[in-house]
């Protein structure tokens, strides 16, 4: 059983902690150490997270099991003024994987999306990320291939995946 609660500014350190644990495992064999550090600094700085939380650019939620916080999500309803909920971030601690938590989180995101009049879930995934197979098992399909420049000469090489709900 999981609990999903909205994150606040006081939770930034926990989000950063989880990102710094999960990213090297998720992307360590895909990205250079320099790109990994650059992206963590870019995406998870105090300033970036504070702005996103305060301005509601993304809605952040902490995911907890009975004992502790095990992950977080960052989502945006009404993405590009369409009936889409975009999943910008979804990270669960490595020790929780394979226990059904990921599917539970996606089920909850689907419920939140429907409550906010979304018909589609959308996410980006690195083309070499092993989570790609998990997303396909959940019914996501590749919609397009994108290369997103993020500065410092780095690219995010992603698939955009979508699923009707």
């Amino acid at each position: 059983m999981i609990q999903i609660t909205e994150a606040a500014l006081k939770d930034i350190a926990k989000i950063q902690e989880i990102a710094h644990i999960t990213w090297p495992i998720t992307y360590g064999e895909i990205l250079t150490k320099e790109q990994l550090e650059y992206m963590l600094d870019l995406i998870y700085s105090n300033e970036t997270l504070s702005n996103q939380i305060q301005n509601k650019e993304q809605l952040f939620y902490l995911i907890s099991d009975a004992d502790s916080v095990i992950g977080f999500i960052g989502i945006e309803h009404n993405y590009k003024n369409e009936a889409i909920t975009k999943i910008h971030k979804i990270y669960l601690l490595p020790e929780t994987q394979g226990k059904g938590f990921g599917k539970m989180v996606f089920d909850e995101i689907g419920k939140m999306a429907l409550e906010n009049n979304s018909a589609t879930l959308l996410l980006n995934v690195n083309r070499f990320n092993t989570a790609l197979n998990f997303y396909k098992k959940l019914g996501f399909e590749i919609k397009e291939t994108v290369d997103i420049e993020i500065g410092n000469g780095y690219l995010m090489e992603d698939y955009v995946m979508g699923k009707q709900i």
Side-chain angles (χ1 to χ4, degrees):
M1 189 69 187
I2 59 166
Q3 182 176 2
I4 297 181
T5 53
E6 191 165 355
L9 292 174
K10 67 178 177 51
D11 299 311
I12 286 175
K14 181 51 91 173
I15 291 168
Q16 291 169 326
E17 176 188 333
I18 293 168
H20 281 84
I21 292 169
T22 57
W23 269 57
I25 293 164
T26 303
Y27 302 110
E29 301 204 359
I30 299 171
L31 307 175
T32 64
K33 186 176 190 297
E34 292 76 21
Q35 183 173 353
L36 187 86
E37 289 173 4
Y38 173 81
M39 291 179 70
L40 278 169
D41 288 344
L42 180 73
I43 298 169
Y44 294 100
S45 71
N46 286 333
E47 182 181 4
T48 299
L49 290 173
S50 294
N51 287 339
Q52 288 175 335
I53 290 171
Q54 286 178 313
N55 300 331
K56 304 272 187 205
E57 292 171 19
Q58 289 180 39
L59 302 174
F60 282 85
Y61 295 89
L62 298 179
I63 304 159
S64 304
D65 64 5
D67 302 319
S68 59
V69 176
I70 60 169
F72 69 91
I73 56 176
I75 62 175
E76 178 184 354
H77 300 295
N78 197 32
Y79 179 69
K80 294 189 176 180
N81 293 315
E82 296 183 34
I84 296 170
T85 292
K86 172 86 182 236
I87 304 165
H88 289 282
K89 299 171 180 69
I90 178 164
Y91 293 99
L92 292 168
L93 292 171
E95 60 268 22
T96 67
Q97 294 177 6
K99 297 181 179 180
F101 290 122
K103 181 172 181 344
M104 285 185 242
V105 171
F106 272 97
D107 289 346
E108 291 301 314
I109 293 171
K111 289 176 192 170
M112 287 188 269
L114 287 171
E115 289 168 5
N116 284 275
N117 304 310
S118 289
T120 303
L121 294 178
L122 203 64
L123 59 81
N124 284 31
V125 60
N126 181 288
R127 295 196 290 265
F128 307 101
N129 188 332
T130 55
L132 182 62
N133 293 323
F134 174 68
Y135 300 144
K136 285 180 178 177
K137 275 200 323 197
L138 292 177
F140 282 84
E141 297 175 352
I142 296 171
K143 301 295 184 192
E144 66 179 309
T145 301
V146 295
D147 290 330
I148 303 165
E149 291 186 31
I150 55 168
N152 247 24
Y154 296 125
L155 285 178
M156 290 195 321
E157 300 170 309
D158 289 355
Y159 289 127
V160 178
M161 300 185 79
K163 174 185 176 177
Q164 298 299 306
I165 48 174

